[in-house]
Amino acid sequence: MIPSELNESTALLLNAHPQASTDQQACQQASIDRSGYIPESFADGVIFAQSIDDVVLAMSLAHEHGVKIVPRGAGTGLAAGSCAQAGEVVLDLSRMNQILDIDPVEQLAAVQPGVLNAEVNRAAGEHELFYAPDPASTAICSIGGNIATNAGGMWCAKYGVTRESVLSLLVVLPDGQLLRTGRRTIKGVAGYDMNALLIGSEGTLGIVVEAVLRLRPKPRFTSTMVAYFADENTAAQAASAVIAARLQPSVLELMDGKSLRAIDAALGTEHQQRGGALLLAQTDGFGAQLEMQALTQTIAPLASHVELAENEEEAHALIEARRQAIPSMELLGTVSICDIGVPRNRLAEAFAGLQRIEAERGVEIFTIAHAADGNLHPIIVVPEGQSITTGAAKLALADMFYLAKELGGTLTGEHGIGLLKQDWLAEEIGETSLQLQRRLRAVFDPQGILNPGKAI
Ligand SMILES: Cc1cc2nc3c(=O)[nH]c(=O)nc-3n(C[C@H](O)[C@H](O)[C@H](O)COP(=O)(O)OP(=O)(O)OC[C@H]3O[C@@H](n4cnc5c(N)ncnc54)[C@H](O)[C@@H]3O)c2cc1C
């Protein structure tokens, strides 16, 4: 039974779900993500949805009684998009975690939203297929969260972000109605592209309860290389040269010297002894080796040392080191992960700008980048317990936005706006676009009950 001190509508909603909890620890855990943002209070309750019917019931009652709902996948978000506070109920989708169907002929997977990204890839792999959008958090993030943030990852360099790999969605709207978007065919242009609108909408327009994902044939051949450079600016020039040479690696990741130091400390590796920055590249397909040769020649004049992975284990270890970059920094303190995007020929200028910000604001910045997409993650690390949303950390975050803007870039490449980056959204998209987006949101959710205060 739900405690009597709760507001009547919230109690009614929670009592309608056998899988709801008001346990303090459960509410606290469900109110924070991995952004480092700590809300001043925590959600009133959590509903652990087990089925589409649970979600429909929750939204119908929330709509009828005006209860605010925060959708939540695995809580690995970096923009405080799934953070919740008092007066809100978290709708946790993590238990709806089944792969419903894999069609190896059409190369599609139908999945529930709570299934982990890596689990889709494991299941697809049984059919020699793969799901391309692979955030570094693949082992811990959910497909529903990936869709809501339009997540990117390493293979997005060649295969595009989540939007390019989602064909159809089943969504529960804020009033409890079910909406199907897109289709199971590769092509299709009937009506407005509602799929594209929902993808990246950060849980503000509807709740994803099923998705049809596009899978791709696993490449028969891959070639993996790591190159070391004197410093990050030179590594950035090399990454820009790869793009300018019209090469299309499936992975092109850059890590600066500080990130290498954090990874070495956490994993016991010795990257820092080989260079002051690193570029990790993978090519794939029938021409993998030829393309890698061309890539190596392109960066050779800038690199101090190049190593080709000799077998799959070596390649896997290199990719894994990159996946461990953020967890390695989290061992050093509280992290604030910025997510700017710049034109790919301006990467070196972005690194130079970040060095200026670090010196001026007196904060430590570790930078990793999905270099082929021009997407940098400058990560501010502050001592445990220190705020990332005020003081020097906040000022540095603002500086990074203005740096991206000056270079013709964006405030967020893949993590979203959530609560953390709202201060600068209007400056990027303009007042006309912001007002139009808010009107669009109100069409879906006239009462403003879904993920209030987030995104736009
Ligand atoms: C170590 C680490 C590495 C990371 N690397 C990357 C990376 O390489 N690329 C990248 O893009 N991100 C990365 N992230 C960020 C994060 O993993 C992604 O944003 C991911 O997509 C969030 O998924 P989630 O299931 O954890 O969602 P949550 O954090 O639970 O939610 C994120 C947003 O989605 C909404 N949401 C969740 N589920 C649903 C649903 N079913 N329907 C509607 N809305 C929903 C929430 O309301 C919230 O707005 C990383 C995070 C960590 C901790």
Side-chain angles (χ1 to χ4, degrees), residues 226-295:
V226 60
Y228 295 88
F229 301 84
D231 54 42
E232 35 279 355
N233 301 38
T234 319
Q237 282 173 37
S240 297
V242 170
I243 302 302
R246 313 262 169 101
L247 297 165
Q248 216 184 354
S250 48
V251 171
L252 190 67
E253 296 288 316
L254 196 161
M255 295 193 262
D256 74 352
K258 280 192 166 171
S259 306
L260 296 184
R261 197 173 70 214
I263 289 170
D264 284 348
L267 305 183
T269 45
E270 294 179 341
H271 294 294
Q272 262 220 313
Q273 287 180 14
R274 300 195 183 100
L278 167 162
L279 206 53
L280 169 64
Q282 188 168 75
T283 51
D284 69 6
F286 286 99
Q289 295 210 348
L290 271 181
E291 195 171 17
M292 185 53 84
Q293 269 172 24
L295 194 150

Side-chain angles (χ1 to χ4, degrees), residues 71 73-77 81-82 135-137 142 145-146 148-149 151-152 202-203 206 208 414-415 451:
T76 68
S82 60
S137 49
S142 76
N146 293 169
T149 55
E202 299 191 52
V208 176
E414 57 185 20
H415 296 163
N451 221 1

Side-chain angles (χ1 to χ4, degrees), residues 101-109 124 126-129 215:
D101 165 39
I102 291 202
D103 181 340
V105 177
E106 280 301 305
Q107 301 169 19
L108 305 178
E126 290 175 8
H127 304 276
E128 290 302 311
L129 296 167
L215 306 176

Side-chain angles (χ1 to χ4, degrees), residues 10 13-14 19-21 26-32 42-49 58 67-73 82-85 87-93 207 451 454:
T10 306
L13 174 67
L14 294 170
Q19 306 293 332
S21 171
C27 288
Q28 187 167 336
Q29 274 170 4
S31 298
I32 53 173
F42 298 118
D44 292 343
V46 194
I47 296 170
F48 296 96
V67 181
K68 294 174 181 162
I69 299 290
V70 178
R72 181 179 181 87
S82 60
C83 288
Q85 58 183 353
E88 297 173 345
V89 170
V90 173
L91 185 54
D92 182 308
L93 284 307
I207 297 181
N451 221 1
K454 311 286 175 39

Side-chain angles (χ1 to χ4, degrees), residues 145-152 161-164 199-201 413-415:
N146 293 169
I147 292 169
T149 55
N150 193 16
V161 294
T162 299
R163 185 174 285 130
E164 270 76 59
I199 297 168
S201 63
E414 57 185 20
H415 296 163

Side-chain angles (χ1 to χ4, degrees), residues 52-281:
I52 296 175
D53 286 348
D54 282 351
V55 180
V56 169
L57 178 66
M59 290 319 303
S60 306
L61 288 174
H63 173 70
E64 194 180 333
H65 298 280
V67 181
K68 294 174 181 162
I69 299 290
V70 178
R72 181 179 181 87
T76 68
L78 295 171
S82 60
C83 288
Q85 58 183 353
E88 297 173 345
V89 170
V90 173
L91 185 54
D92 182 308
L93 284 307
S94 63
R95 295 185 187 173
M96 291 176 66
N97 59 1
Q98 299 302 304
I99 293 177
L100 302 170
D101 165 39
I102 291 202
D103 181 340
V105 177
E106 280 301 305
Q107 301 169 19
L108 305 178
V111 304
Q112 292 188 318
V115 69
L116 297 180
N117 179 293
E119 187 53 28
V120 175
N121 258 317
R122 192 205 51 73
E126 290 175 8
H127 304 276
E128 290 302 311
L129 296 167
F130 78 109
Y131 177 61
D134 66 327
S137 49
T138 173
I140 51 172
C141 65
S142 76
I143 291 293
N146 293 169
I147 292 169
T149 55
N150 193 16
M154 294 194 225
W155 294 327
C156 298
K158 182 166 180 179
Y159 298 100
V161 294
T162 299
R163 185 174 285 130
E164 270 76 59
S165 287
V166 175
L167 292 179
S168 169
L169 296 174
L170 186 62
V171 174
V172 178
L173 294 171
D175 63 1
Q177 285 190 81
L178 273 169
L179 167 76
R180 197 172 283 282
T181 67
R183 50 199 62 76
R184 286 178 75 104
T185 51
I186 297 297
K187 290 176 95 175
V189 293
Y192 287 165
D193 191 344
M194 300 291 275
N195 245 11
L197 178 60
L198 265 296
I199 297 168
S201 63
E202 299 191 52
T204 61
L205 301 181
I207 297 181
V208 176
V209 289
E210 255 178 50
V212 178
L213 310 176
R214 179 178 184 179
L215 306 176
R216 293 167 203 269
K218 242 184 178 175
R220 295 261 184 92
F221 305 98
T222 58
S223 181
T224 310
M225 175 229 62
V226 60
Y228 295 88
F229 301 84
D231 54 42
E232 35 279 355
N233 301 38
T234 319
Q237 282 173 37
S240 297
V242 170
I243 302 302
R246 313 262 169 101
L247 297 165
Q248 216 184 354
S250 48
V251 171
L252 190 67
E253 296 288 316
L254 196 161
M255 295 193 262
D256 74 352
K258 280 192 166 171
S259 306
L260 296 184
R261 197 173 70 214
I263 289 170
D264 284 348
L267 305 183
T269 45
E270 294 179 341
H271 294 294
Q272 262 220 313
Q273 287 180 14
R274 300 195 183 100
L278 167 162
L279 206 53
L280 169 64

